[in-house]
Amino acid sequence: MTMAIILGDHQYGKAENRIVRIVRDTARHTIADVNVSTCLRGDFDAAHLTGDQGAVLPTDTQKQTAYAYAKTIGLESIEAYALALATHFVDDVEPVREARVEVERYDWTRVDADGTGAGHDHTWVRSGQEVRTASVTVSGTADARRTWVTGGLKDLVILKSTGSEFHGFLEDEFTVLEPTHDRVMATALNAKWRFDGTEVDWNATYAAIKHALTSTFATQHSLALQQTLYAMGTAVLESVPAVVEVRLSAPNKHHFEYDLGRFGIENHGEVFHADDRPYGLIQASAIRDDAPDAGPAWTPYTGLV
Ligand SMILES: O=c1[nH]c(=O)c2[nH]c(=O)[nH]c2[nH]1
């Protein structure tokens, strides 16, 4: 019996171009600090089957293009930049049938050098909060163009010191967990959302989505992280019409009340041990029932976004 082996799925590109773009048209500079990955999909069979590089746009060229577009398109919004870059690869590089650009953006905050709160013109400190993410996938030629945009945030560490319960859960012979009616709830939120269309004010929408996520975490009295996550996803869909799907992943960063009774000290939910592992990992999504097909919107390249 002979066995046939065929080439399976393949994609290639330059991962994690660390690009910093300063805008210095006036004395008050701006900074955009990003991590850009580009990925090409198409008929690159020959490169794998025979080593023929005729159809292969080198990953080095993809890198150069990513830097050039940081100047010509700019990085005012990572979604608009990724749209331009992905569209270029599909439109201008013949063998490319589909391109995906993934971007992480790290935040910087102006130094309050004079104490007025206005912030220094050209000095920042790296902000420790979340990493903003985006992916753009562009498919097909201009007459049959399809485009998918996702946004997201990673590692948004958020904690509420009350307003969270967990009880009434299923019990078996291994259950030792005590029910609680008042606990700390904390997570390092990872969120991704899918847009319908590209006519979006990307930066204002990002702020609105982050507000919907964090304000719901704050105000919704929680009976479980699962309930909170679904409420957060629903809040995004209700407040941002351009978003059709939200995917959330949240480690339950357990805070265990520390036993001070051994020292004759009453604790009353004020001193905790913040455990780092293991952690419950809760994942949930919310989607509009009329959401268009996700196509390759979630098909990853680096796995970073
Ligand atoms: O919000 C929670 N969801 C769970 O599924 C779970 N399981 C657990 O032990 N603690 C919690 N908390």
Side-chain angles (χ1 to χ4, degrees):
M1 197 175 97
T2 58
M3 178 183 62
I5 297 174
I6 55 171
L7 177 66
D9 287 347
H10 48 88
Q11 57 182 358
Y12 81 103
K14 192 67 105 187
E16 303 205 53
N17 296 283
R18 287 284 289 108
I19 304 174
V20 176
R21 166 75 154 105
I22 307 288
V23 176
R24 46 189 303 152
D25 302 348
T26 68
R28 192 164 177 83
H29 295 180
T30 65
I31 184 169
D33 180 2
V34 297
N35 191 26
V36 178
S37 300
T38 64
C39 169
L40 307 183
R41 299 166 181 159
D43 181 1
F44 302 109
D45 292 11
H48 298 82
L49 300 177
T50 68
D52 177 353
Q53 308 305 318
V56 172
L57 186 76
T59 68
D60 185 71
T61 308
Q62 296 177 45
K63 172 180 116 177
Q64 310 305 341
T65 314
Y67 279 87
Y69 272 54
K71 172 66 177 158
T72 57
I73 300 296
L75 277 158
E76 205 172 312
S77 91
I78 55 176
E79 291 88 353
Y81 166 84
L83 273 166
L85 190 55
T87 303
H88 158 71
F89 287 127
V90 173
D91 280 356
D92 304 333
V93 184
E94 209 290 314
V96 176
R97 294 286 162 266
E98 188 168 291
R100 180 174 177 88
V101 175
E102 299 181 345
V103 185
E104 294 181 306
R105 187 188 205 280
Y106 314 116
D107 216 16
W108 292 82
T109 304
R110 292 183 190 278
V111 168
D112 187 18
D114 58 10
T116 65
H120 195 263
D121 280 349
H122 57 258
T123 308
W124 300 262
V125 287
R126 190 69 172 257
S127 316
Q129 261 200 19
E130 83 280 6
V131 173
R132 177 172 164 183
T133 64
S135 82
V136 170
T137 308
V138 174
S139 195
T141 46
D143 50 336
R145 171 61 35 84
R146 295 213 53 195
T147 302
W148 294 268
V149 182
T150 72
L153 56 77
K154 296 202 299 191
D155 298 330
L156 180 71
V157 180
I158 183 167
L159 177 152
K160 62 195 293 182
S161 55
T162 189
S164 167
E165 308 184 33
F166 189 67
H167 49 81
F169 42 80
L170 187 65
E171 298 190 30
D172 68 9
E173 69 271 37
F174 298 114
T175 302
V176 295
L177 185 70
E178 294 288 334
T180 176
H181 293 270
D182 187 9
R183 65 173 183 174
V184 168
M185 188 164 76
T187 189
L189 182 70
N190 290 314
K192 300 178 190 185
W193 47 85
R194 176 162 63 95
F195 291 98
D196 182 20
T198 57
E199 296 302 313
V200 177
D201 180 342
W202 302 112
N203 293 343
T205 301
Y206 180 81
I209 293 169
K210 184 178 166 186
H211 174 75
L213 292 169
T214 54
S215 62
T216 304
F217 186 90
T219 57
Q220 207 236 19
H221 186 89
S222 177
L223 298 177
L225 186 50
Q226 286 90 330
Q227 181 200 26
T228 300
L229 283 190
Y230 183 59
M232 291 163 80
T234 301
V236 172
L237 293 177
E238 284 174 351
S239 59
V240 184
V243 172
V244 295
E245 181 180 0
V246 182
R247 295 183 170 193
L248 301 168
S249 179
N252 191 356
K253 294 170 85 72
H254 304 299
H255 286 65
F256 297 115
E257 198 166 325
Y258 203 76
D259 181 8
L260 299 178
R262 294 171 291 178
F263 319 121
I265 301 173
E266 290 187 356
N267 193 337
H268 293 314
E270 292 188 308
V271 178
F272 295 87
H273 165 65
D275 213 21
D276 73 333
R277 68 191 77 171
Y279 47 87
L281 183 60
I282 315 296
Q283 301 181 323
S285 64
I287 185 166
R288 296 188 195 281
D289 62 3
D290 62 350
D293 181 45
W298 302 118
T299 306
Y301 176 43
T302 62
L304 289 170
V305 310

